[in-house]
Amino acid sequence: MSVEQPTHFSFDAESEAQISKVLARYPEAKKASATIPLLYVVQRQMGRTTGSAWVPNVAMDEIAKRLGVAPIRVYEVATFYFMFNMKPIGKHHLQLCGTTPCMLRGSDDVMRACHDAAHVKVGQTSSDGLFTLTEVECLGACVNAPVLQVDDDYYEDLDYDRTVALIEALKRGERPKPGSTIGRQTSAPEGGPLTLLDVAGE
Amino acid sequence: MAKVTVDGIEVEVPNGATVLQACEAAGKEIPRFCYHERLSVAGNCRMCLVEVEKAPKPVASCAYPVADGMVVKTDSPVVRNARRGVMEFLLINHPLDCPICDQGGECDLQDQSVSYGMDKSRYREAKRSVKDKNIGPLIKTIMTRCIQCTRCVRFSAEVAGTAELGGTNRGENMEIGTYVEKALTSELSGNLIDICPVGALTSRPYAFVSRPWELRKTDGIDVQDATGTNIRIDTRGPEVLRILPRINEDVNEEWMADRGRFSFDGLKRKRLDRPWLRVDGKLKPVSWPEALGAVAAKLKATAPDRIGAVAGDLVDAESAFALKALMAGLGSANLDCRQDGAAIDASRPDFYRFNTTIAGIEEADALLVIGANPRTEAPVINARIRKRWSLGKFPIGVVGPAGVDLTYGYDHVGEGPATLRSMLAGTHRFMAVLREAKKPMILLGRGALARPDGAAVLAASWAIARDCNALRDDWHGFNLLHLFGGQMAPLAMGFLPGAGGKDLGAMLSGGVDALWLLGADGIDPAAIAPETFVIYQGHHGDRAASRADVILPGAAYTEKDGTYLNTEGRAQISRTALHAPGEAREDWRIIRAAAQGLGVTVGFDDLAQLRAAMIAAAPALAEGFTRSFCMDMSGPAGDADALGDAPFASAITQYHLADAIARASDVMAECARTYGPVPALAAE
C-alpha cells in the first residue's frame, strides 16, 4: 500500500477509558471478540487527534498486542469491514447509499450535490481535505430514502438542495441536527400520521 | 460407531467422523482442495460435495458429520453436476497458465479439473488479477492462481504456530497474504509449498527448473537436523533439484524443516571434488594414489597412540564404523565424535536418546525443556510439541534464555543450572507440576551438555526425571535432543575414546601427531595444535578443510547409501540419489582403500560386509526401531552437585547456517541475510 503509515500509535486517556469498558464485556479467554470495538476506538481517536478517522497499521498491531492475537487476525477483520478506513480520509466522511430504494428516491441527485458542493468524486477526498465521498450499500434507512451518512450521523429524506445546504453547513463548521431533513418524525409517514388517528393521547 | 452406506458399500466409522472419512473408508475418492487431514476443517472450497439421502441439497462431505444409517452417493448425476459447477467457479478467476506454472504435473486443480471440469469455459468476462506478495526468499507467490482454500493460513496458524498469513479484504477482493510485507518467520515455511493445492505458493529456488515427471526420485533421510525426516530427493542428471518430505507418522508426519529442504544447492558449491595434499605449506591437487600414499606414509611413521580420529555431525554410520575399524586395526583408541565437547555418557543408550520418541510426545502431559530451543534445533519435533500443546493440559516449563518464541505458550522457569538445583531440592514450583503429571517429559538440549558442567547438567536432568517419576517400565520421559543426523550413530557404535584413549580436547591440544577428521567441521581449526598432521575427509571445503594436510574428497548424504540414527535412535537408510562430484568417492571406500595402503585388515570388502560387521558390533544400527522404556533408574556418570552458574544458551545461533551444507548454500545465505539479526535502529 502506498499510504504513508505513522510509525507510532498509542491510545490516549479517552480511548483507554473506552477500552476498559469494552474489555469488561468479554471473558478474558475470549477477549479477541473486542477486535471490532477496538478498531472503532482507534478510528475515533485518529479522527479526534488528527482530523482523519482512519486505522493505521501500527494501531492494528497495538490492538493485537492488547488482545493477545496475531496482528494478521486484526488486519483480516479491519480490511473485511468497509467501516474501517485503511487510509487517511477527509474531515467528514460522506457515505452515500446507492442501493435500490435510495436510488429510486433520488440518490443520484444527492450524488450530484456532493460533486457540486463538496467538489469530491466517489472514492476521493476533496482538495481542501474536508470531505471523502464513498458510495455504500444499504444503510438500513430505506424508509426515509435517500440517505447520506456523515461520519456517525444519518441525514435522511435528502434532495439536491438540502444536500447542498447540509454540505455548506458542514463547511462552515456547523453540525445540522441529524435525522430527516424534512421534519419527519422518526420514520413515520411524511406529513404526520395517517392511520390510528383516533387513538387517544396520540 | 455409525453405519454408513456409501454407494452401496456399508462401512462403520466412529461417531463424529465426517462423511468424507466414511467415503474414504469405503474406498471412494472424494476430490478436495481446502480439506487437509492435518489441519482444521474450513469447508470453503465445496469440491467435496456428495449427495446424502434425505438432505435437500448436496453437502460438503469434509464438514458434515456422519449419522447412523446415512446413505451417501458419491457418483450420482447430482454430485457430478454439483462438482462440475464448483470447478467452473474455481476456474473463473484462475489464470489457466499451467504451461508456465511450476505446479504443473502435480497440481490438484489440474488433476481434478481433468476429472470434474468442463472441457471449455463459458466465462467471457475479465478475470481478476492479484498482486504477488513477497513473503521471503524461500516461497514464490503467484497469487492470481490462488483459489483461497486457506490451507496455508491454517497451516501457519495451527502447525507452524506463526500466524502471519491471512485472508484480507473480502469478496472479489479477498487476498491471501501477510497484509504488511514481511518474510515468514517459520522454520517450516517450505511445507506451505506442499500443502498449496495450486501453483500460488511454489518453491523460489525451484522456480522454472524442472517438471515433476523429469525427476528421478530417491528415498533419503535428512541429516541436517536430528529429527531423521524422511525425504525424497529429486534429481535430474548430476543435480539435486529439490527435496521433499515423505510421510512417516512416527517421525515427521508429512512436514520438513526449511534447512533440510532448501540447502541442497550447497551440495553443488564449495565441494571437495579431488584429493589435495599440502606441499611446502600449500595445498596442491594430487591423484588418489598420491593422497592415500601420503596418508599411509604419515600413519605408518606415527605411533598408534599418537593417531586420532574425529567423526563429524553429518556422517553416516557406515563410514564412521569403517574409520573405527581402521583405527582399531592401527591400534589407536583415540576416537571421538563429540565435536561440541558434549558430556554424553554413552554407557547406556537411553542416556543419550530421545526416549519418549517423537510420536510419544503426543502421550506426554507435562514437559520441561532444559537448555534447548527445539524450534531451531529440530523444527519438526517442535511442531509435534506444539501439536500436543494445542490439545491443552500440557504445561511446558523452559530453563534457558528468556523471551524465546517457541510457537507455543510456556512457563519460563529459569535461565540456568540454579533452577535445576532448586528443582532437585524439590522447592521449585514447576517440580510440583511435573510430579503431578502421569507422563512427564524432560527434554534436554545437547547444547546444555557442551559446557564445563555438562556432566552435572546431564546427571541433574536425569535426577529430575527420576524425581518426577518419568523413568518407569511403561514410560521413559528422559530425552536428549541432538542437533544433526550424524551424531547418534557414532555414539551407538562407541566412536568414543577407548581404554587409555584420548578425547577430543586431548587430541586437539597436541595429544596426537596425526588427526583424521571425518567430516568434522564443527571444531575451530585454530584449536588444532600447529604441528598436528590433519587428514580431512569430507564433502565440503568448510572450516576444517583449510587446515588439512591431506584432503580426501568424500560423498554428501545424497550421494551414498548410509544408515542414520535420528535422535530417537531410529535407524533409517538413505539411498544414493546421485554420484559424488569429480573424483570424490563414498567415504567407506576411501577408508577401505587407505586401510589397504596401510596394510591393515578392517574385515570388509564391500558395503554388505561392512553393514553386517557394523550390525554385529552395534545391533542398534540395524534398520528399524523399537521403543524401549526405562528398566534401570541408575543415572549417568556425573555429579549433580557440580552444577555451575552460567545460564544456558541455545546451541544453534543461526538456524540457516548451522551445518557445512547450509553454509555453502546461496539460498541459506539469503535466508540468513533476511532473518539475521536486524541492525539496531539509532535513537528509536
PDB file of all heavy atoms in Angstrom, chain A residues 44 90-95 130-131 148-155 165-179:
ATOM      1  N   ARG A  44     -11.828   6.447  15.939  1.00  0.00           N
ATOM      2  CA  ARG A  44     -12.347   7.690  16.525  1.00  0.00           C
ATOM      3  C   ARG A  44     -11.205   8.517  17.087  1.00  0.00           C
ATOM      4  O   ARG A  44     -11.193   9.750  16.970  1.00  0.00           O
ATOM      5  CB  ARG A  44     -13.348   7.351  17.635  1.00  0.00           C
ATOM      6  CG  ARG A  44     -14.543   6.600  17.070  1.00  0.00           C
ATOM      7  CD  ARG A  44     -15.847   6.996  17.728  1.00  0.00           C
ATOM      8  NE  ARG A  44     -16.958   6.504  16.906  1.00  0.00           N
ATOM      9  CZ  ARG A  44     -17.607   5.367  17.174  1.00  0.00           C
ATOM     10  NH1 ARG A  44     -17.309   4.641  18.237  1.00  0.00           N
ATOM     11  NH2 ARG A  44     -18.574   4.975  16.376  1.00  0.00           N
ATOM     12  N   GLY A  90     -10.911  12.445   4.591  1.00  0.00           N
ATOM     13  CA  GLY A  90     -11.137  13.850   4.913  1.00  0.00           C
ATOM     14  C   GLY A  90     -11.751  14.005   6.292  1.00  0.00           C
ATOM     15  O   GLY A  90     -12.036  13.032   6.985  1.00  0.00           O
ATOM     16  N   LYS A  91     -11.993  15.262   6.656  1.00  0.00           N
ATOM     17  CA  LYS A  91     -12.535  15.545   7.988  1.00  0.00           C
ATOM     18  C   LYS A  91     -13.924  14.918   8.142  1.00  0.00           C
ATOM     19  O   LYS A  91     -14.264  14.369   9.180  1.00  0.00           O
ATOM     20  CB  LYS A  91     -12.602  17.057   8.193  1.00  0.00           C
ATOM     21  CG  LYS A  91     -13.062  17.462   9.573  1.00  0.00           C
ATOM     22  CD  LYS A  91     -12.745  18.920   9.846  1.00  0.00           C
ATOM     23  CE  LYS A  91     -13.288  19.327  11.209  1.00  0.00           C
ATOM     24  NZ  LYS A  91     -14.360  20.316  11.108  1.00  0.00           N
ATOM     25  N   HIS A  92     -14.738  15.023   7.068  1.00  0.00           N
ATOM     26  CA  HIS A  92     -16.066  14.417   7.105  1.00  0.00           C
ATOM     27  C   HIS A  92     -16.127  13.280   6.101  1.00  0.00           C
ATOM     28  O   HIS A  92     -15.732  13.430   4.948  1.00  0.00           O
ATOM     29  CB  HIS A  92     -17.130  15.454   6.760  1.00  0.00           C
ATOM     30  CG  HIS A  92     -17.183  16.576   7.743  1.00  0.00           C
ATOM     31  ND1 HIS A  92     -17.569  16.408   9.053  1.00  0.00           N
ATOM     32  CD2 HIS A  92     -16.867  17.895   7.615  1.00  0.00           C
ATOM     33  CE1 HIS A  92     -17.512  17.564   9.690  1.00  0.00           C
ATOM     34  NE2 HIS A  92     -17.060  18.489   8.845  1.00  0.00           N
ATOM     35  N   HIS A  93     -16.658  12.162   6.546  1.00  0.00           N
ATOM     36  CA  HIS A  93     -16.793  11.011   5.660  1.00  0.00           C
ATOM     37  C   HIS A  93     -18.230  10.959   5.180  1.00  0.00           C
ATOM     38  O   HIS A  93     -19.149  10.720   5.974  1.00  0.00           O
ATOM     39  CB  HIS A  93     -16.418   9.726   6.410  1.00  0.00           C
ATOM     40  CG  HIS A  93     -16.228   8.550   5.500  1.00  0.00           C
ATOM     41  ND1 HIS A  93     -16.026   7.269   5.963  1.00  0.00           N
ATOM     42  CD2 HIS A  93     -16.200   8.469   4.157  1.00  0.00           C
ATOM     43  CE1 HIS A  93     -15.891   6.447   4.933  1.00  0.00           C
ATOM     44  NE2 HIS A  93     -15.995   7.156   3.828  1.00  0.00           N
ATOM     45  N   LEU A  94     -18.455  11.267   3.907  1.00  0.00           N
ATOM     46  CA  LEU A  94     -19.800  11.227   3.341  1.00  0.00           C
ATOM     47  C   LEU A  94     -20.025   9.837   2.762  1.00  0.00           C
ATOM     48  O   LEU A  94     -19.347   9.436   1.820  1.00  0.00           O
ATOM     49  CB  LEU A  94     -19.936  12.274   2.228  1.00  0.00           C
ATOM     50  CG  LEU A  94     -19.540  13.707   2.568  1.00  0.00           C
ATOM     51  CD1 LEU A  94     -19.703  14.591   1.342  1.00  0.00           C
ATOM     52  CD2 LEU A  94     -20.369  14.244   3.724  1.00  0.00           C
ATOM     53  N   GLN A  95     -20.970   9.113   3.354  1.00  0.00           N
ATOM     54  CA  GLN A  95     -21.259   7.775   2.855  1.00  0.00           C
ATOM     55  C   GLN A  95     -22.665   7.788   2.280  1.00  0.00           C
ATOM     56  O   GLN A  95     -23.642   7.841   3.027  1.00  0.00           O
ATOM     57  CB  GLN A  95     -21.122   6.756   3.973  1.00  0.00           C
ATOM     58  CG  GLN A  95     -19.698   6.714   4.526  1.00  0.00           C
ATOM     59  CD  GLN A  95     -19.557   5.741   5.691  1.00  0.00           C
ATOM     60  OE1 GLN A  95     -19.638   4.544   5.523  1.00  0.00           O
ATOM     61  NE2 GLN A  95     -19.378   6.297   6.877  1.00  0.00           N
ATOM     62  N   LEU A 130     -11.647  18.371   3.408  1.00  0.00           N
ATOM     63  CA  LEU A 130     -12.821  18.341   4.281  1.00  0.00           C
ATOM     64  C   LEU A 130     -13.681  17.097   4.085  1.00  0.00           C
ATOM     65  O   LEU A 130     -14.242  16.574   5.032  1.00  0.00           O
ATOM     66  CB  LEU A 130     -13.676  19.595   4.029  1.00  0.00           C
ATOM     67  CG  LEU A 130     -13.325  20.843   4.820  1.00  0.00           C
ATOM     68  CD1 LEU A 130     -14.294  21.960   4.471  1.00  0.00           C
ATOM     69  CD2 LEU A 130     -13.368  20.568   6.311  1.00  0.00           C
ATOM     70  N   PHE A 131     -13.783  16.628   2.830  1.00  0.00           N
ATOM     71  CA  PHE A 131     -14.752  15.571   2.566  1.00  0.00           C
ATOM     72  C   PHE A 131     -14.131  14.385   1.827  1.00  0.00           C
ATOM     73  O   PHE A 131     -13.313  14.562   0.931  1.00  0.00           O
ATOM     74  CB  PHE A 131     -15.904  16.113   1.703  1.00  0.00           C
ATOM     75  CG  PHE A 131     -16.658  17.226   2.359  1.00  0.00           C
ATOM     76  CD1 PHE A 131     -16.446  18.541   1.974  1.00  0.00           C
ATOM     77  CD2 PHE A 131     -17.562  16.958   3.378  1.00  0.00           C
ATOM     78  CE1 PHE A 131     -17.144  19.568   2.585  1.00  0.00           C
ATOM     79  CE2 PHE A 131     -18.253  17.988   3.996  1.00  0.00           C
ATOM     80  CZ  PHE A 131     -18.041  19.307   3.603  1.00  0.00           C
ATOM     81  N   LEU A 148     -27.828   9.979   3.455  1.00  0.00           N
ATOM     82  CA  LEU A 148     -26.387  10.231   3.402  1.00  0.00           C
ATOM     83  C   LEU A 148     -25.862  10.151   4.824  1.00  0.00           C
ATOM     84  O   LEU A 148     -26.381  10.827   5.721  1.00  0.00           O
ATOM     85  CB  LEU A 148     -26.134  11.630   2.827  1.00  0.00           C
ATOM     86  CG  LEU A 148     -24.681  12.106   2.802  1.00  0.00           C
ATOM     87  CD1 LEU A 148     -23.883  11.337   1.769  1.00  0.00           C
ATOM     88  CD2 LEU A 148     -24.611  13.600   2.494  1.00  0.00           C
ATOM     89  N   GLN A 149     -24.862   9.279   5.040  1.00  0.00           N
ATOM     90  CA  GLN A 149     -24.287   9.182   6.380  1.00  0.00           C
ATOM     91  C   GLN A 149     -23.057  10.081   6.444  1.00  0.00           C
ATOM     92  O   GLN A 149     -22.119   9.922   5.660  1.00  0.00           O
ATOM     93  CB  GLN A 149     -23.908   7.732   6.701  1.00  0.00           C
ATOM     94  CG  GLN A 149     -23.399   7.556   8.112  1.00  0.00           C
ATOM     95  CD  GLN A 149     -22.917   6.134   8.396  1.00  0.00           C
ATOM     96  OE1 GLN A 149     -23.098   5.242   7.582  1.00  0.00           O
ATOM     97  NE2 GLN A 149     -22.300   5.952   9.549  1.00  0.00           N
ATOM     98  N   VAL A 150     -23.070  11.023   7.353  1.00  0.00           N
ATOM     99  CA  VAL A 150     -21.911  11.892   7.558  1.00  0.00           C
ATOM    100  C   VAL A 150     -21.268  11.475   8.878  1.00  0.00           C
ATOM    101  O   VAL A 150     -21.881  11.630   9.935  1.00  0.00           O
ATOM    102  CB  VAL A 150     -22.321  13.373   7.608  1.00  0.00           C
ATOM    103  CG1 VAL A 150     -21.102  14.239   7.845  1.00  0.00           C
ATOM    104  CG2 VAL A 150     -23.024  13.763   6.333  1.00  0.00           C
ATOM    105  N   ASP A 151     -20.088  10.904   8.769  1.00  0.00           N
ATOM    106  CA  ASP A 151     -19.430  10.326   9.940  1.00  0.00           C
ATOM    107  C   ASP A 151     -20.392   9.346  10.623  1.00  0.00           C
ATOM    108  O   ASP A 151     -20.767   8.380  10.007  1.00  0.00           O
ATOM    109  CB  ASP A 151     -18.944  11.433  10.874  1.00  0.00           C
ATOM    110  CG  ASP A 151     -18.000  12.374  10.150  1.00  0.00           C
ATOM    111  OD1 ASP A 151     -17.291  11.892   9.237  1.00  0.00           O
ATOM    112  OD2 ASP A 151     -17.999  13.582  10.448  1.00  0.00           O
ATOM    113  N   ASP A 152     -20.853   9.640  11.844  1.00  0.00           N
ATOM    114  CA  ASP A 152     -21.746   8.691  12.518  1.00  0.00           C
ATOM    115  C   ASP A 152     -23.214   9.084  12.422  1.00  0.00           C
ATOM    116  O   ASP A 152     -24.066   8.434  13.018  1.00  0.00           O
ATOM    117  CB  ASP A 152     -21.342   8.567  13.994  1.00  0.00           C
ATOM    118  CG  ASP A 152     -20.011   7.865  14.136  1.00  0.00           C
ATOM    119  OD1 ASP A 152     -19.638   7.145  13.204  1.00  0.00           O
ATOM    120  OD2 ASP A 152     -19.338   8.060  15.174  1.00  0.00           O
ATOM    121  N   ASP A 153     -23.523  10.173  11.696  1.00  0.00           N
ATOM    122  CA  ASP A 153     -24.905  10.665  11.682  1.00  0.00           C
ATOM    123  C   ASP A 153     -25.582  10.395  10.339  1.00  0.00           C
ATOM    124  O   ASP A 153     -24.970  10.516   9.282  1.00  0.00           O
ATOM    125  CB  ASP A 153     -24.908  12.177  11.942  1.00  0.00           C
ATOM    126  CG  ASP A 153     -24.351  12.508  13.316  1.00  0.00           C
ATOM    127  OD1 ASP A 153     -24.564  11.698  14.241  1.00  0.00           O
ATOM    128  OD2 ASP A 153     -23.683  13.556  13.458  1.00  0.00           O
ATOM    129  N   TYR A 154     -26.886  10.083  10.419  1.00  0.00           N
ATOM    130  CA  TYR A 154     -27.694   9.873   9.220  1.00  0.00           C
ATOM    131  C   TYR A 154     -28.446  11.158   8.887  1.00  0.00           C
ATOM    132  O   TYR A 154     -29.073  11.749   9.758  1.00  0.00           O
ATOM    133  CB  TYR A 154     -28.746   8.774   9.467  1.00  0.00           C
ATOM    134  CG  TYR A 154     -28.261   7.352   9.261  1.00  0.00           C
ATOM    135  CD1 TYR A 154     -26.909   7.042   9.352  1.00  0.00           C
ATOM    136  CD2 TYR A 154     -29.159   6.330   9.000  1.00  0.00           C
ATOM    137  CE1 TYR A 154     -26.482   5.744   9.183  1.00  0.00           C
ATOM    138  CE2 TYR A 154     -28.747   5.031   8.837  1.00  0.00           C
ATOM    139  CZ  TYR A 154     -27.394   4.737   8.929  1.00  0.00           C
ATOM    140  OH  TYR A 154     -26.969   3.450   8.764  1.00  0.00           O
ATOM    141  N   TYR A 155     -28.406  11.571   7.623  1.00  0.00           N
ATOM    142  CA  TYR A 155     -29.257  12.659   7.147  1.00  0.00           C
ATOM    143  C   TYR A 155     -30.170  12.067   6.091  1.00  0.00           C
ATOM    144  O   TYR A 155     -29.705  11.505   5.094  1.00  0.00           O
ATOM    145  CB  TYR A 155     -28.417  13.816   6.594  1.00  0.00           C
ATOM    146  CG  TYR A 155     -27.634  14.496   7.708  1.00  0.00           C
ATOM    147  CD1 TYR A 155     -26.352  14.091   8.034  1.00  0.00           C
ATOM    148  CD2 TYR A 155     -28.230  15.510   8.460  1.00  0.00           C
ATOM    149  CE1 TYR A 155     -25.668  14.676   9.069  1.00  0.00           C
ATOM    150  CE2 TYR A 155     -27.543  16.110   9.514  1.00  0.00           C
ATOM    151  CZ  TYR A 155     -26.253  15.685   9.813  1.00  0.00           C
ATOM    152  OH  TYR A 155     -25.586  16.255  10.847  1.00  0.00           O
ATOM    153  N   ALA A 165     -27.195  22.375   1.023  1.00  0.00           N
ATOM    154  CA  ALA A 165     -27.279  23.153   2.252  1.00  0.00           C
ATOM    155  C   ALA A 165     -26.544  22.453   3.392  1.00  0.00           C
ATOM    156  O   ALA A 165     -25.812  23.081   4.177  1.00  0.00           O
ATOM    157  CB  ALA A 165     -28.751  23.369   2.628  1.00  0.00           C
ATOM    158  N   LEU A 166     -26.711  21.129   3.456  1.00  0.00           N
ATOM    159  CA  LEU A 166     -26.040  20.344   4.507  1.00  0.00           C
ATOM    160  C   LEU A 166     -24.526  20.467   4.376  1.00  0.00           C
ATOM    161  O   LEU A 166     -23.813  20.718   5.350  1.00  0.00           O
ATOM    162  CB  LEU A 166     -26.479  18.878   4.393  1.00  0.00           C
ATOM    163  CG  LEU A 166     -25.693  17.843   5.184  1.00  0.00           C
ATOM    164  CD1 LEU A 166     -25.848  18.089   6.687  1.00  0.00           C
ATOM    165  CD2 LEU A 166     -26.142  16.434   4.844  1.00  0.00           C
ATOM    166  N   ILE A 167     -24.043  20.341   3.144  1.00  0.00           N
ATOM    167  CA  ILE A 167     -22.590  20.383   2.942  1.00  0.00           C
ATOM    168  C   ILE A 167     -22.050  21.783   3.226  1.00  0.00           C
ATOM    169  O   ILE A 167     -20.979  21.934   3.840  1.00  0.00           O
ATOM    170  CB  ILE A 167     -22.256  19.908   1.508  1.00  0.00           C
ATOM    171  CG1 ILE A 167     -22.528  18.395   1.428  1.00  0.00           C
ATOM    172  CG2 ILE A 167     -20.811  20.202   1.155  1.00  0.00           C
ATOM    173  CD1 ILE A 167     -22.449  17.819   0.046  1.00  0.00           C
ATOM    174  N   GLU A 168     -22.804  22.783   2.811  1.00  0.00           N
ATOM    175  CA  GLU A 168     -22.358  24.145   3.105  1.00  0.00           C
ATOM    176  C   GLU A 168     -22.277  24.359   4.614  1.00  0.00           C
ATOM    177  O   GLU A 168     -21.338  24.989   5.122  1.00  0.00           O
ATOM    178  CB  GLU A 168     -23.309  25.174   2.473  1.00  0.00           C
ATOM    179  CG  GLU A 168     -23.297  25.177   0.947  1.00  0.00           C
ATOM    180  CD  GLU A 168     -21.912  25.419   0.363  1.00  0.00           C
ATOM    181  OE1 GLU A 168     -21.076  26.073   1.018  1.00  0.00           O
ATOM    182  OE2 GLU A 168     -21.637  24.935  -0.763  1.00  0.00           O
ATOM    183  N   ALA A 169     -23.258  23.821   5.335  1.00  0.00           N
ATOM    184  CA  ALA A 169     -23.247  23.956   6.798  1.00  0.00           C
ATOM    185  C   ALA A 169     -22.021  23.266   7.392  1.00  0.00           C
ATOM    186  O   ALA A 169     -21.338  23.809   8.272  1.00  0.00           O
ATOM    187  CB  ALA A 169     -24.529  23.375   7.386  1.00  0.00           C
ATOM    188  N   LEU A 170     -21.723  22.094   6.858  1.00  0.00           N
ATOM    189  CA  LEU A 170     -20.547  21.368   7.351  1.00  0.00           C
ATOM    190  C   LEU A 170     -19.282  22.173   7.079  1.00  0.00           C
ATOM    191  O   LEU A 170     -18.363  22.220   7.898  1.00  0.00           O
ATOM    192  CB  LEU A 170     -20.455  19.989   6.689  1.00  0.00           C
ATOM    193  CG  LEU A 170     -21.515  18.963   7.099  1.00  0.00           C
ATOM    194  CD1 LEU A 170     -21.456  17.747   6.187  1.00  0.00           C
ATOM    195  CD2 LEU A 170     -21.343  18.543   8.557  1.00  0.00           C
ATOM    196  N   LYS A 171     -19.261  22.824   5.920  1.00  0.00           N
ATOM    197  CA  LYS A 171     -18.090  23.638   5.574  1.00  0.00           C
ATOM    198  C   LYS A 171     -17.922  24.771   6.569  1.00  0.00           C
ATOM    199  O   LYS A 171     -16.800  25.179   6.883  1.00  0.00           O
ATOM    200  CB  LYS A 171     -18.249  24.215   4.171  1.00  0.00           C
ATOM    201  CG  LYS A 171     -17.884  23.252   3.057  1.00  0.00           C
ATOM    202  CD  LYS A 171     -17.918  23.988   1.738  1.00  0.00           C
ATOM    203  CE  LYS A 171     -17.645  23.071   0.570  1.00  0.00           C
ATOM    204  NZ  LYS A 171     -17.974  23.743  -0.692  1.00  0.00           N
ATOM    205  N   ARG A 172     -19.051  25.311   7.028  1.00  0.00           N
ATOM    206  CA  ARG A 172     -18.970  26.409   7.989  1.00  0.00           C
ATOM    207  C   ARG A 172     -18.639  25.903   9.386  1.00  0.00           C
ATOM    208  O   ARG A 172     -18.513  26.683  10.322  1.00  0.00           O
ATOM    209  CB  ARG A 172     -20.317  27.141   8.030  1.00  0.00           C
ATOM    210  CG  ARG A 172     -20.627  27.943   6.765  1.00  0.00           C
ATOM    211  CD  ARG A 172     -21.792  28.856   6.994  1.00  0.00           C
ATOM    212  NE  ARG A 172     -23.014  28.138   7.359  1.00  0.00           N
ATOM    213  CZ  ARG A 172     -23.901  27.682   6.443  1.00  0.00           C
ATOM    214  NH1 ARG A 172     -23.683  27.848   5.164  1.00  0.00           N
ATOM    215  NH2 ARG A 172     -24.984  27.055   6.848  1.00  0.00           N
ATOM    216  N   GLY A 173     -18.519  24.601   9.532  1.00  0.00           N
ATOM    217  CA  GLY A 173     -18.180  24.051  10.836  1.00  0.00           C
ATOM    218  C   GLY A 173     -19.411  23.796  11.690  1.00  0.00           C
ATOM    219  O   GLY A 173     -19.283  23.472  12.870  1.00  0.00           O
ATOM    220  N   GLU A 174     -20.587  23.919  11.086  1.00  0.00           N
ATOM    221  CA  GLU A 174     -21.803  23.627  11.851  1.00  0.00           C
ATOM    222  C   GLU A 174     -22.110  22.142  11.760  1.00  0.00           C
ATOM    223  O   GLU A 174     -21.589  21.430  10.918  1.00  0.00           O
ATOM    224  CB  GLU A 174     -22.984  24.436  11.285  1.00  0.00           C
ATOM    225  CG  GLU A 174     -22.814  25.927  11.439  1.00  0.00           C
ATOM    226  CD  GLU A 174     -23.805  26.693  10.570  1.00  0.00           C
ATOM    227  OE1 GLU A 174     -24.785  26.074  10.103  1.00  0.00           O
ATOM    228  OE2 GLU A 174     -23.572  27.892  10.342  1.00  0.00           O
ATOM    229  N   ARG A 175     -23.004  21.717  12.594  1.00  0.00           N
ATOM    230  CA  ARG A 175     -23.416  20.317  12.567  1.00  0.00           C
ATOM    231  C   ARG A 175     -24.938  20.279  12.618  1.00  0.00           C
ATOM    232  O   ARG A 175     -25.512  20.290  13.717  1.00  0.00           O
ATOM    233  CB  ARG A 175     -22.820  19.590  13.770  1.00  0.00           C
ATOM    234  CG  ARG A 175     -22.902  18.078  13.676  1.00  0.00           C
ATOM    235  CD  ARG A 175     -21.834  17.572  12.744  1.00  0.00           C
ATOM    236  NE  ARG A 175     -22.008  16.157  12.488  1.00  0.00           N
ATOM    237  CZ  ARG A 175     -21.092  15.393  11.916  1.00  0.00           C
ATOM    238  NH1 ARG A 175     -19.939  15.906  11.551  1.00  0.00           N
ATOM    239  NH2 ARG A 175     -21.333  14.128  11.696  1.00  0.00           N
ATOM    240  N   PRO A 176     -25.614  20.300  11.459  1.00  0.00           N
ATOM    241  CA  PRO A 176     -27.081  20.280  11.496  1.00  0.00           C
ATOM    242  C   PRO A 176     -27.590  19.066  12.265  1.00  0.00           C
ATOM    243  O   PRO A 176     -26.893  18.048  12.362  1.00  0.00           O
ATOM    244  CB  PRO A 176     -27.462  20.199  10.016  1.00  0.00           C
ATOM    245  CG  PRO A 176     -26.263  20.635   9.262  1.00  0.00           C
ATOM    246  CD  PRO A 176     -25.082  20.275  10.086  1.00  0.00           C
ATOM    247  N   LYS A 177     -28.798  19.185  12.732  1.00  0.00           N
ATOM    248  CA  LYS A 177     -29.392  18.102  13.517  1.00  0.00           C
ATOM    249  C   LYS A 177     -29.557  16.863  12.626  1.00  0.00           C
ATOM    250  O   LYS A 177     -30.105  16.962  11.519  1.00  0.00           O
ATOM    251  CB  LYS A 177     -30.761  18.563  14.028  1.00  0.00           C
ATOM    252  CG  LYS A 177     -31.426  17.605  14.983  1.00  0.00           C
ATOM    253  CD  LYS A 177     -32.670  18.275  15.574  1.00  0.00           C
ATOM    254  CE  LYS A 177     -33.610  17.269  16.218  1.00  0.00           C
ATOM    255  NZ  LYS A 177     -34.340  16.458  15.241  1.00  0.00           N
ATOM    256  N   PRO A 178     -29.097  15.713  13.051  1.00  0.00           N
ATOM    257  CA  PRO A 178     -29.236  14.511  12.231  1.00  0.00           C
ATOM    258  C   PRO A 178     -30.694  14.082  12.137  1.00  0.00           C
ATOM    259  O   PRO A 178     -31.530  14.524  12.907  1.00  0.00           O
ATOM    260  CB  PRO A 178     -28.422  13.468  12.989  1.00  0.00           C
ATOM    261  CG  PRO A 178     -27.709  14.177  14.069  1.00  0.00           C
ATOM    262  CD  PRO A 178     -28.406  15.467  14.313  1.00  0.00           C
ATOM    263  N   GLY A 179     -30.952  13.196  11.177  1.00  0.00           N
ATOM    264  CA  GLY A 179     -32.299  12.660  11.010  1.00  0.00           C
ATOM    265  C   GLY A 179     -32.925  13.178   9.731  1.00  0.00           C
ATOM    266  O   GLY A 179     -32.224  13.614   8.812  1.00  0.00           O
TER     267      GLY A 179
END
